[in-house]
Amino acid sequence: MSLLEIKNAKLKLDDKDILKGLSLSVNSGEVHAIMGPNGSGKSTLSYMLAGRDGYDLESGEVFLEGQSLSDMEADERARSGLFLAFQYPVELPGVGGMSFLREAVNTRRKFLGEEELDHLAFVKEARKVASKMFVKDEMLKRAVNVGFSGGEKKRFEILQMAMLKPKVSILDETDSGLDVDALKIVSDGVNAQRNDENAIVVITHYQRLLDYIVPDFVHILSDGNIIKSGGPELALEVEKNGYAGLINAA
Amino acid sequence: MVATQETIDKVKEVSSTYKYGFVTDLEAEKAPLGLSEDIVKFISHKKKEPKWLLEWRLKAYKKWLSMEAPNWAMVDFPKINFQDIYYYSAPKTKPKLNSLDEVDPELLRTYEKLGIPIKEQEVLAGVAVDYVFDSVSVATTFREKLAKEGIIFCPISEAVQSHPELVKKYIGSVIPISDNYYAALNSAVFTDGSFVYIPKGVKCPMELSTYFRINEQNSGQFERTLIIAEDNTYVSYLEGCTAPQRDENQLHAAVVELVAMNNAEIKYSTVQNWYPGDKDGKGGIYNFVTKRGNCLGKKSKISWTQVETGSAITWKYPSCVLKGDDSVGEFYSVAVANNAQQADTGTKMIHIGKNTKSTIISKGISAGKAQNTYRGQVQIQKNAKGSRNFTQCDSLLIGDKCGAHTVPYINQFTPHARVEHEATTSKISEDQLFYCLQRGLDTEQATSLIVNGFCKEVMKELPMEFAVEAQKLIGISLEGSVG
């Protein structure tokens, strides 16, 4: 079954058409990459999916596991299993990383009808997952994203993803601001979570991330629509000819 | 720590309405309505007080008659009719208690509803608690254990009988009867409160705690607390407050005096959750409180921590007078004002001795139509060479109809001192909210988390059990303020 289904999505921001009838179907077990130049609507797409205020669809519909998202607020979508790894993770001064994670995880568990984890069980689990992501305990004691380096912020995003076990994850420009070593750590973290039950949508400007997170499908987003879809080789084509070549051909 | 867990769970259960709004059906013995010299005499007589105390009260009453209510605070309320208040109300079954088994079961149930089962706390939490119900102290737990250390922890009315020399020496020594309008009123009509005496060299082995509850209609609560810490001592004291939900405003005018001798440390924490009134500002407690500590001795330290979420109006400035050389004063405050609440609160740090230090961390949170003012005075007197103050006032605004105000007064009479003041005002950003929502937290969880993060520097000063409760309280008092 398709985990995420976008049907003819149209969206305006400040009276300007940003998404112009975009459709996409993502099945469980798949990794899709959406590539596009600046201003093609990549971030708008991720905010629209996550249900940010002001990013409501003008027409069209989105389904998560067959359930329409149109009447669901951002938090309900998240609890239902939609995760967005932010391009620019937000600082929460004074809010400890561990307590933030625990609140989020237990909220999701409660939603799923699972037992909430007590403090000890949670810390144990979080440490286990964190160590795989080379996230130190010390980082979890700090306030969320405050004073984190670019790499630390992205690792913390993927750690949250690993803890929340979403059905569909959208990674918005996860490679931005990362050096090669950090990119590898983050990608390993993402790859470790690939399985037959979930799906990942990678939104990126550059092809290099796709060397590490190898997608099953690549889509080219331009001017609010997907103009071309293909396999991983399409990303290489972008790398070789730039977006201009593809857009002109389409 | 079963009791603590239970307390936490109970607080968790609380819905958006004021949880403590129930009324206990107890027969109460009241003084006639209103205030006069006779009422002052009535109270003193009821308490079987010595003559000196009655005279002291009458002097305060006369002084009060000649004073005007202060009007400089940024709070707005109709004039109080002081003749429309009961100044003495005691549960009729007020017993001489030998053990908690003798406490009126109805009263015990009230405290259980409040989430503080006396028995369990006594046995399990290791907190010694004094319960003040309207005007009288109902039960003081753990006294025997404390007595072994030579610590006196009892209702002040009892201390007047058992340790008159101590009470006489220190009452009014920090806050004289003429200090201000409400302090004068309190001195005339105070009914009960806690008394703590820590003898030389003793570190109090447990947290001392008082729970205040206003139950009777139209009754005022005028408690008086006095804490004396002799040389080389330490004591940590907590107070919590609630009141039933009523349409009329009720007056709470307390006085708290602290005295710290050489190398003594007093840590005083408050979680104030008096009924704040309804959304439109009907009802609620007027919390007009005078709190001050004298750091008399060298290297003495007084630390005030307050979390103020309740009351229709808060008018309160816990202060430190730093007389002893090298003495330290601290003020950590979180003041939450939602809906129609008004808070004008802050501190005074009066540096008199050499090398005295003070720290002020104030976090004000305003939501709804609320007005929240920090008002503080830092005074460095001529001989206070080498003294330092650091002040940080942060305000957080939720919504666009509330207000935050910062009014710092700094008077420095010697160049050999350093005073720093920092202030910020911020809002919960849309980005922060969205980030939390995207992790599955609802708007209220998110607000509570962000606000508690904002208050963290203050919350970490609270004793552990209180901190958890205070965090929940802050979340509850802000429910419905976002979105």
Side-chain angles (χ1 to χ4, degrees):
Chain A
M1 177 181 83
S2 108
L3 276 185
L4 182 71
E5 181 86 45
I6 307 174
K7 280 185 175 165
N8 202 21
K10 289 186 184 168
L11 186 149
K12 275 185 181 160
L13 288 181
D14 297 329
D15 278 337
K16 203 177 153 219
D17 293 317
I18 307 291
L19 300 181
K20 302 175 179 173
L22 184 147
S23 295
L24 179 69
S25 182
V26 179
N27 295 315
S28 52
E30 294 176 352
V31 173
H32 289 238
I34 296 178
M35 301 182 71
N38 292 329
S40 56
K42 297 196 299 293
S43 286
T44 302
L45 175 63
S46 60
Y47 284 157
M48 181 276 286
L49 290 172
R52 183 168 193 157
D53 270 356
Y55 289 81
D56 302 322
L57 283 180
E58 196 192 353
S59 66
E61 211 162 354
V62 181
F63 298 90
L64 179 70
E65 286 192 279
Q67 194 184 2
S68 169
L69 293 184
S70 46
D71 290 330
M72 285 164 81
E73 298 292 336
D75 54 328
E76 289 175 85
R77 297 182 188 197
R79 289 193 291 272
S80 304
L82 185 85
F83 181 87
L84 171 63
F86 283 57
Q87 181 179 3
Y88 303 109
V90 182
E91 295 186 0
L92 301 176
V95 180
M98 192 65 99
S99 19
F100 180 70
L101 262 178
R102 187 177 162 206
E103 183 102 2
V105 167
N106 276 340
T107 302
R108 169 124 164 95
R109 289 181 75 96
K110 207 165 146 187
F111 176 83
L112 294 173
E114 293 169 12
E115 207 178 318
E116 293 180 43
L117 293 175
D118 68 29
H119 185 66
L120 275 178
F122 179 80
V123 169
K124 215 173 143 189
E125 175 72 14
R127 282 192 179 144
K128 199 172 84 190
V129 179
S131 70
K132 284 186 198 149
M133 223 91 64
F134 301 96
V135 171
K136 288 186 194 127
D137 269 15
E138 178 265 334
M139 198 171 123
L140 293 175
K141 285 178 191 151
R142 281 153 62 186
V144 173
N145 293 321
V146 176
F148 285 19
S149 70
E152 283 175 327
K153 283 183 180 169
K154 295 300 166 79
R155 266 185 279 159
F156 189 61
E157 291 293 290
I158 304 308
L159 171 62
Q160 294 178 60
M161 173 180 162
M163 294 294 296
L164 288 166
K165 302 190 177 69
K167 281 289 183 185
V168 175
S169 302
I170 300 146
L171 313 185
D172 189 4
E173 306 268 2
T174 292
D175 51 334
S176 70
L178 294 187
D179 58 30
V180 179
D181 295 335
L183 188 62
K184 179 145 190 347
I185 292 169
V186 167
S187 305
D188 287 349
V190 174
N191 287 328
Q193 293 173 57
R194 290 175 78 156
N195 63 41
D196 292 342
E197 308 283 306
N198 63 18
I200 297 170
V201 178
V202 182
I203 294 177
T204 182
H205 191 80
Y206 297 107
Q207 185 273 334
R208 66 168 189 167
L209 175 65
L210 306 181
D211 286 341
Y212 297 94
I213 304 172
V214 181
D216 303 300
F217 302 94
V218 175
H219 311 276
I220 307 299
L221 182 67
S222 169
D223 193 25
N225 238 323
I226 289 172
I227 55 161
K228 193 169 185 183
S229 297
E233 71 286 349
L234 188 54
L236 297 170
E237 209 181 316
V238 171
E239 180 77 358
K240 208 169 142 198
N241 303 327
Y243 287 109
L246 280 167
I247 292 164
N248 291 338
Chain B
M1 300 287 277
V2 181
T4 308
Q5 188 52 49
E6 190 178 331
T7 307
I8 295 163
D9 290 344
K10 285 218 165 124
V11 174
K12 271 187 193 157
E13 283 165 23
V14 174
S15 65
S16 61
T17 50
Y18 186 71
K19 174 201 178 191
Y20 307 100
F22 56 86
V23 180
T24 304
D25 199 10
L26 286 171
E27 238 190 304
E29 184 181 31
K30 287 185 205 166
L33 190 67
L35 183 54
S36 65
E37 206 168 290
D38 284 344
I39 293 290
V40 176
K41 284 177 182 164
F42 176 93
I43 294 169
S44 190
H45 178 73
K46 271 283 162 203
K47 303 260 167 200
K48 302 188 177 66
E49 284 175 355
K51 201 159 167 256
W52 65 265
L53 190 51
L54 173 62
E55 279 164 9
W56 190 78
R57 283 178 182 276
L58 289 171
K59 206 170 126 196
Y61 176 65
K62 286 196 185 100
K63 184 73 205 171
W64 177 74
L65 287 176
S66 73
M67 295 171 94
E68 294 275 334
N71 60 4
W72 40 261
M74 203 178 282
V75 293
D76 185 29
F77 59 97
K79 214 168 162 15
I80 297 172
N81 180 359
F82 288 93
Q83 297 308 334
D84 202 26
I85 295 173
Y86 288 101
Y87 288 85
Y88 182 85
S89 162
K92 222 172 197 167
T93 45
K94 158 70 168 155
K96 197 72 195 150
L97 297 163
N98 294 316
S99 82
L100 284 171
D101 295 336
E102 295 172 30
V103 175
D104 187 330
E106 192 65 28
L107 203 58
L108 287 180
R109 271 195 289 278
T110 303
Y111 284 119
E112 264 168 52
K113 268 194 251 177
L114 293 170
I116 41 159
I118 304 184
K119 272 196 152 163
E120 305 238 336
Q121 281 218 351
E122 176 180 28
V123 181
L124 299 162
V127 177
V129 186
D130 187 15
Y131 294 84
V132 177
F133 203 83
D134 287 333
S135 308
V136 294
S137 184
V138 187
T140 306
T141 59
F142 258 115
R143 279 164 68 174
E144 269 174 47
K145 191 173 172 197
L146 293 168
K148 274 187 197 142
E149 305 267 0
I151 295 169
I152 306 165
F153 177 42
C154 67
I156 197 162
S157 57
E158 209 178 299
V160 168
Q161 309 296 338
S162 56
H163 302 88
E165 71 296 344
L166 284 173
V167 178
K168 195 174 175 181
K169 183 170 172 191
Y170 290 107
I171 195 167
S173 73
V174 185
I175 301 168
I177 50 177
S178 57
D179 189 81
N180 70 71
Y181 189 74
Y182 297 109
L185 177 64
N186 174 287
S187 303
V189 302
F190 78 89
T191 37
D192 223 326
S194 292
F195 177 82
V196 178
Y197 178 80
I198 315 286
K200 276 185 188 173
V202 173
K203 312 269 183 242
C204 186
M206 62 184 74
E207 311 270 357
L208 302 183
S209 171
T210 298
Y211 213 92
F212 293 107
R213 168 94 182 148
I214 296 178
N215 191 57
E216 278 299 313
Q217 199 159 2
N218 294 335
S219 70
Q221 182 148 337
F222 305 93
E223 85 266 4
R224 182 130 196 148
T225 292
L226 179 56
I227 301 178
I228 302 145
E230 295 281 10
D231 292 354
N232 305 312
T233 53
Y234 171 82
V235 61
S236 168
Y237 182 92
L238 322 168
E239 65 172 10
C241 335
T242 61
Q245 198 160 340
R246 297 197 189 277
D247 287 345
E248 315 84 38
N249 295 105
Q250 282 175 288
L251 178 62
H252 171 250
V255 168
V256 175
E257 296 178 284
L258 313 181
V259 181
M261 304 303 186
N262 290 326
N263 207 23
E265 179 176 349
I266 303 175
K267 187 173 166 59
Y268 194 105
S269 313
T270 305
V271 174
Q272 183 266 109
N273 185 31
W274 296 119
Y275 177 55
D278 71 6
K279 266 192 148 76
D280 305 314
K282 192 168 190 204
I285 301 289
Y286 292 162
N287 191 35
F288 301 157
V289 171
T290 310
K291 292 181 168 177
R292 193 175 304 152
N294 266 357
C295 281
L296 284 183
K298 282 184 182 169
K299 291 190 176 168
S300 55
K301 179 175 174 184
I302 288 178
S303 180
W304 298 101
T305 305
Q306 60 172 20
V307 175
E308 305 276 323
T309 61
S311 295
I313 300 176
T314 297
W315 179 96
K316 179 180 168 190
Y317 314 89
S319 305
C320 299
V321 180
L322 305 170
K323 282 189 186 148
D325 292 347
D326 300 299
S327 59
V328 176
E330 292 175 340
F331 175 73
Y332 299 98
S333 169
V334 171
V336 182
N338 193 6
N339 298 319
Q341 280 178 279
Q342 307 173 65
D344 193 304
T345 182
T347 184
K348 283 194 274 188
M349 293 290 173
I350 312 296
H351 293 252
I352 300 172
K354 290 184 183 62
N355 302 313
T356 48
K357 275 198 212 66
S358 65
T359 304
I360 299 171
I361 309 283
S362 163
K363 306 275 181 178
I365 299 142
S366 322
K369 298 174 289 182
Q371 295 297 324
N372 203 332
T373 303
Y374 167 82
R375 189 181 302 277
Q377 182 182 25
V378 175
Q379 192 184 91
I380 314 272
Q381 298 196 353
K382 213 170 135 195
N383 293 324
K385 294 191 174 94
S387 291
R388 289 176 64 175
N389 160 265
F390 174 76
T391 301
Q392 186 185 326
C393 294
D394 297 324
S395 305
L396 186 69
L397 299 170
I398 302 174
D400 53 9
K401 292 187 180 62
C402 54
H405 316 272
T406 302
V407 191
Y409 301 86
I410 299 171
N411 319 106
Q412 192 172 341
F413 300 103
T414 168
H416 309 288
R418 203 161 91 198
V419 176
E420 289 174 72
H421 182 97
E422 287 178 10
T424 65
T425 303
S426 54
K427 288 185 116 176
I428 293 184
S429 79
E430 212 183 298
D431 281 344
Q432 288 175 325
L433 217 47
F434 176 58
Y435 189 73
C436 295
L437 291 178
Q438 212 303 306
R439 298 307 183 243
L441 310 183
D442 63 30
T443 311
E444 263 147 23
Q445 272 175 301
T447 309
S448 176
L449 205 66
I450 294 167
V451 169
N452 276 301
F454 171 77
C455 304
K456 196 175 185 183
E457 282 163 283
V458 173
M459 300 305 249
K460 69 175 202 271
E461 297 295 326
L462 283 175
M464 189 61 178
E465 305 92 299
F466 255 41
V468 177
E469 196 169 330
Q471 268 182 27
K472 300 285 174 196
L473 261 183
I474 289 175
I476 291 160
S477 21
L478 288 172
E479 266 175 18
S481 60
V482 174

